[in-house]
């Protein structure tokens, strides 16, 4: 679902206008069915007409219910030029791909999704409010986009707290290093702001305590709206169609009475990769209609596959990923064999012309996991000048990932069934609101 017009979060995309039109059409029909006041119906109809005009201007086609705009029907792009066009970038909750070796054009994606860029001003403000240096994910633009983060900070400065929500959908027996990104950053936010964190695992038995809010959300989202947002068809199972409401429910504080009691006014901040944004655009549209605050979001870039930044790392392809269960030998072999190189074909050419760190996967991975900014910049310069060879760059990455993953594995061994039970049991937390 699209956000309200007053959000000020950039030009609306054809899909956002389509979703808003669908919702407005539903509202007009509901008012007529309820035999509302004539003036109220006329106002709703006038807004519907205006939205149709806006939609045709942006999408280049008339609005037709049940026929969402195609992916290449995008709003006018004021972002920087890139090789290829928007139609080369596919970004949705299930698919991420691009033909650009540098990866998805995130500036254009901000325009397309209607979010706001995390600029230096916001990073500096987070540093001021948090009282410590921003996480390197913020400093390096790994978390690059947001919705309402300034609002969260405004409230926090007035002693109004918030809480965090992130999640993991188990798609394989083990997580890969890309799955760590939202957890690493969310843990930093939790420590810095001293606030609760809820983690949703998509296990039906565990979400039953959210059921009231799930039903409320489902009541306010039509089938046409879900089809428009997620591209579902009449052939998709009802489980897929109903799931967005399940993912949305933890965004509201009264879904967790054991933490917040009956309070429904505590705002939620959701760090996630930007491909999850459609779920929460829908959530943010529903929120004011059921009396809850809109969740705020911090969007991260995608963690690239070993074969290159054209796709994100996949848990279903063993050779595209470094898994958290991989041995040091497996990590070394995968990086040496599969990590896409930005280097030249021969040592002589590389020494003369240098490599391209912007497309080199080993360097991309180091921007996520090497915390020392000065060391990372030296590596960039040495690789670009030809002083550092591809094999040497891969060695630095191997020596960075091996101890990190070994430490994770050692800590995982200490997790018992009792530990899992404690964390999965609804209980009071040591936070006061």
């Amino acid at each position: 679902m699209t956000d309200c017009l007053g959000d000020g979060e950039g030009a609306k995309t054809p899909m956002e206008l389509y979703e808003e039109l669908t919702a407005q059409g539903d509202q007009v029909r509901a008012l007529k069915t309820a035999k509302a006041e004539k003036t109220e119906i006329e106002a709703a109809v006038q807004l519907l007409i205006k939205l149709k005009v806006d939609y045709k201007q942006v999408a280049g086609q008339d609005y037709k219910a049940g026929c969402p705009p195609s992916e290449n029907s995008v709003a006018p792009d004021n972002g920087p030029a890139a090789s290829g066009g928007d139609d080369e970038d596919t970004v949705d909750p299930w698919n991420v791909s691009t033909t650009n070796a540098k990866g998805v054009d995130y500036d254009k994606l901000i325009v397309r999704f209607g979010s706001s860029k995390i600029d230096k001003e916001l990073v500096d403000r987070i540093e001021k409010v948090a009282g410590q240096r921003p996480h390197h994910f913020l400093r390096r633009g790994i978390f690059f986009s947001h919705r309402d983060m300034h609002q969260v900070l405004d409230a926090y400065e007035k002693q109004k707290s918030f809480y965090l929500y992130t999640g993991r959908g188990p798609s394989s027996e083990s997580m890969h290093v890309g799955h760590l990104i939202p957890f690493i950053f969310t843990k930093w936010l939790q420590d810095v702001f001293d606030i609760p964190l809820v983690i949703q695992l998509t296990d039906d038995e565990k979400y039953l305590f959210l059921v009231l809010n799930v039903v409320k959300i489902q009541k306010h989202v039509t089938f046409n709206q879900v089809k428009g947002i997620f591209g579902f068809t009449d052939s998709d199972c009802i489980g897929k169609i109903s799931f967005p409401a399940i993912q949305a429910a933890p965004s509201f504080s009264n879904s967790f009475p054991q933490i917040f009691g009956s309070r429904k006014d505590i705002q939620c901040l959701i760090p996630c990769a930007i491909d999850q944004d459609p779920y929460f655009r829908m959530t943010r549209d529903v929120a004011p209609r059921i009396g809850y605050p809109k969740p705020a979001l911090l969007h991260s870039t995608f963690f690239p596959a070993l074969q290159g930044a054209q796709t994100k790392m996949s848990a279903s392809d063993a050779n595209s990923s470094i898994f958290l269960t991989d041995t040091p030998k497996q990590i070394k072999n995968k990086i040496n064999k599969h990590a896409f190189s930005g280097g030249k074909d021969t040592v002589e050419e590389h020494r003369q012309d240098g490599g391209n760190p912007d497309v080199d996967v080993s360097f991309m991975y180091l921007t996520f996991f090497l915390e020392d900014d000065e060391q990372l910049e030296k590596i960039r310069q040495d690789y670009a000048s030809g002083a550092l060879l591809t094999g040497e760059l891969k060695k630095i990455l191997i020596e960075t990932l091996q101890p990190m993953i070994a430490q994770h594995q050692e800590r995982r061994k200490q997790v018992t069934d009792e530990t899992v039970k404690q964390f999965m049991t609804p209980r009071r937390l040591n936070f006061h609101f």
Side-chain angles (χ1 to χ4, degrees):
M1 301 285 290
T2 182
D3 290 333
C4 291
L5 292 171
D7 270 0
E9 293 181 330
K12 292 184 183 298
T13 66
M15 183 58 75
E16 288 174 327
L17 285 170
Y18 173 85
E19 295 158 10
E20 193 167 353
L21 260 167
T22 303
Q24 187 64 23
D26 290 342
Q27 183 176 352
V28 169
R29 285 188 289 274
L31 289 171
K32 290 180 177 179
T33 301
K35 297 182 179 179
E37 293 289 333
K38 183 178 179 181
T39 54
E40 187 178 4
I41 295 174
E42 287 177 349
V45 170
Q46 288 302 312
L47 178 55
L48 181 66
I49 294 171
K50 180 183 181 301
L51 288 170
K52 287 184 177 180
V53 172
D54 291 345
Y55 177 83
K56 185 172 183 178
Q57 182 178 0
V58 173
Q61 62 188 48
D62 290 323
Y63 169 81
K64 186 177 180 182
C67 296
S70 60
E71 286 187 1
N72 58 3
S73 297
V74 294
D77 176 28
N78 298 317
S83 59
D86 274 341
D87 57 337
E88 296 177 349
D89 286 358
T90 298
V91 176
D92 61 42
W94 306 277
N95 303 287
V96 175
S97 65
T98 178
T99 60
N100 192 330
K102 294 182 180 180
V104 170
D105 188 322
Y106 292 105
D107 286 330
K108 287 191 174 184
L109 200 57
I110 286 173
V111 175
R112 186 168 131 199
F113 279 17
S115 59
S116 300
K117 187 170 185 175
I118 296 178
D119 54 17
K120 187 178 184 301
E121 179 186 356
L122 179 55
V123 174
D124 290 345
R125 188 178 180 203
I126 291 173
E127 180 175 15
K128 179 182 177 182
V129 175
Q132 61 178 270
R133 192 183 190 198
H135 196 279
H136 68 273
F137 287 177
L138 283 170
R139 302 197 306 267
R140 296 174 188 169
I142 290 171
F143 275 83
F144 71 100
S145 167
H146 76 98
R147 294 186 187 275
D148 285 348
M149 189 60 193
H150 280 294
Q151 183 186 97
V152 170
L153 296 173
D154 288 343
Y156 189 80
E157 287 180 320
K158 297 175 183 176
Q159 285 73 53
K160 294 181 181 179
S161 193
F162 60 98
Y163 74 100
L164 298 162
Y165 159 38
T166 191
R168 177 72 244 130
S171 56
S172 68
E173 293 183 1
S174 173
M175 297 199 306
H176 58 59
V177 289
H179 292 142
L180 290 177
I181 305 308
F183 288 118
I184 290 172
F185 188 59
T186 302
K187 183 64 170 68
W188 181 81
L189 289 169
Q190 183 185 32
D191 290 343
V192 165
F193 292 102
D194 189 27
I195 50 177
L197 159 65
V198 296
I199 300 173
Q200 184 186 60
L201 301 178
T202 50
D203 178 341
D204 288 350
E205 293 180 2
K206 302 299 185 297
Y207 86 81
L208 290 178
F209 67 97
L210 302 173
V211 71
L212 292 178
N213 273 343
V214 170
V215 172
K216 280 186 179 180
I217 296 163
Q218 289 175 337
K219 183 179 179 181
H220 287 80
V221 181
T222 69
F223 180 44
N224 275 342
Q225 289 164 349
V226 173
K227 287 200 297 183
I229 296 168
F230 299 101
F232 295 150
T233 70
D234 293 343
S235 300
D236 282 305
C237 70
I238 61 172
K240 286 179 68 174
I241 295 163
S242 64
F243 179 74
I246 298 169
Q247 182 154 327
S251 306
F252 306 127
S253 58
N254 65 344
S255 293
F256 307 99
Q258 67 277 12
I259 304 175
F260 305 109
S262 60
R263 291 190 60 177
K264 62 179 183 179
D265 61 330
I266 301 172
Q267 190 170 22
C268 178
L269 174 62
I270 306 168
C272 62
I274 196 167
D275 59 339
Q276 298 300 298
D277 187 69
Y279 287 107
F280 301 111
R281 291 207 302 272
M282 180 200 80
T283 307
R284 285 167 57 83
D285 185 78
V286 169
R289 292 192 274 138
I290 56 179
Y292 300 156
K294 294 181 179 182
L297 288 99
L298 291 169
H299 299 126
S300 74
T301 58
F302 303 116
F303 198 89
L306 283 169
Q307 289 78 7
Q310 285 89 346
T311 61
K312 65 177 182 177
M313 187 178 278
S314 170
S316 60
D317 182 353
N319 290 327
S320 78
S321 311
I322 304 293
F323 287 93
L324 300 183
T325 53
D326 282 347
T327 65
K329 183 177 180 180
Q330 287 175 316
I331 295 168
K332 179 179 178 180
N333 289 341
K334 283 184 177 182
I335 292 171
N336 282 333
K337 184 176 181 180
H338 298 292
F340 182 81
S341 167
K344 298 298 185 289
D345 292 337
T346 67
V347 171
E348 291 75 17
E349 289 177 333
H350 187 91
R351 292 292 191 200
Q352 178 180 332
D353 301 326
N356 184 353
D358 293 336
V359 302
D360 191 288
V361 166
S362 294
F363 184 80
M364 291 179 185
Y365 281 22
L366 287 172
T367 64
F368 284 88
F369 296 119
L370 190 64
E371 294 190 18
D372 190 316
D373 289 343
E374 292 183 2
Q375 184 183 1
L376 182 69
E377 181 56 28
K378 186 176 188 308
I379 292 170
R380 171 189 281 277
Q381 292 177 5
D382 286 350
Y383 192 64
S385 70
L388 187 70
L389 298 175
T390 295
E392 294 169 332
L393 178 57
K394 288 185 175 184
K395 186 173 184 289
I396 295 172
L397 176 61
I398 291 165
E399 292 175 349
T400 300
L401 288 183
Q402 283 177 334
M404 183 189 81
I405 293 177
Q407 184 181 51
H408 171 85
Q409 292 170 356
E410 188 58 36
R411 289 180 175 178
R412 194 174 189 273
K413 289 178 184 177
Q414 300 172 22
V415 176
T416 64
D417 290 342
E418 186 59 33
T419 306
V420 174
K421 181 179 179 182
Q422 178 187 359
F423 274 87
M424 296 298 287
T425 300
R427 66 202 184 281
R428 289 198 172 275
L429 301 182
N430 189 27
F431 293 96
H432 303 283
F433 293 89

